[in-house]
Amino acid sequence: MRIGEIARICGVTDRVLRYYESRGLINPERDSNGYRYYNARHIWQVREIREMLRAGFSTREIKKFVPCFAEEHPCGPCEEGLRRHLNKIREIDRLRSKLQRQRDYLFDRLQRFHLPPQKIQLLIEEAEVDERQNSDSRFGNGYLYHRSG
């Protein structure tokens, strides 16, 4: 199948597939005319890549799993894959702890404005709603753009 078809099946763009190829995550066949050709194995690989990205792995980290994506590689859990997944969970836990400490610190700093904690929390929630509404309505896709003055 061609790039447009696999992109549609996987719910990604052609550009994403070319990016994955440039990062060494997938390796499509090439026709004699140079066009990329994908098969069912590539669909599975792209879906695995997407799942790993959602789990917090970077493309650099995912590249270490590429041998596991190979057709000739025995499927199933392996010690190295297990270790990498557990390490990612520990990394996320460390980041979550760090972010919580930063949030607590900022919350303490906001009390300098002599607001009760409930009022601070309400202001935070209102700001989140405003941010969602502004990004959804002004840009339609949630992306933030920088305008030069």
Side-chain angles (χ1 to χ4, degrees):
M1 74 189 86
R2 299 265 188 238
I3 194 168
E5 186 177 358
I6 187 173
R8 182 185 52 74
I9 291 169
C10 294
V12 297
T13 64
D14 298 7
R15 187 174 179 182
V16 165
L17 293 173
R18 286 190 291 273
Y19 174 73
Y20 290 168
E21 182 182 1
S22 75
R23 302 295 292 170
L25 303 179
I26 58 174
N27 188 20
E29 308 288 326
R30 295 283 183 157
D31 284 343
S32 58
N33 59 9
Y35 289 157
R36 292 170 179 85
Y37 181 78
Y38 300 87
N39 58 39
R41 178 176 48 94
H42 292 109
I43 294 170
W44 177 79
Q45 289 173 337
V46 170
R47 289 180 175 159
E48 284 291 307
I49 292 165
R50 304 297 289 172
E51 285 182 18
M52 293 184 80
L53 287 167
R54 279 190 290 277
F57 287 97
S58 68
T59 55
R60 184 177 300 156
E61 292 169 319
I62 294 170
K63 185 169 171 95
K64 296 173 186 170
F65 285 92
V66 167
C68 300
F69 297 160
E71 199 168 34
E72 63 276 358
H73 190 278
C75 293
C78 66
E79 289 296 320
E80 184 64 19
L82 174 63
R83 185 184 62 75
R84 288 183 180 148
H85 280 76
L86 292 173
N87 286 342
K88 180 54 72 174
I89 289 172
R90 284 193 294 273
E91 177 187 335
I92 290 169
D93 287 344
R94 282 190 302 272
L95 289 171
R96 187 171 46 192
S97 294
K98 179 182 177 183
L99 288 171
Q100 185 61 51
R101 285 190 304 273
Q102 289 175 328
R103 185 186 191 285
D104 292 345
Y105 179 74
L106 285 168
F107 202 87
D108 289 344
R109 287 186 53 83
L110 283 171
Q111 290 182 10
R112 293 179 180 185
F113 294 93
H114 306 290
L115 297 171
Q118 298 83 3
K119 178 65 175 177
I120 294 170
Q121 187 60 43
L122 181 63
L123 291 171
I124 291 169
E125 291 168 7
E126 288 173 358
E128 289 172 355
V129 169
D130 287 346
E131 185 177 317
R132 274 195 305 270
Q133 288 174 345
N134 287 336
S135 66
D136 291 344
S137 63
R138 290 179 60 202
F139 303 112
N141 56 14
Y143 290 105
L144 298 178
Y145 295 95
H146 176 72
R147 291 189 332 202
S148 55

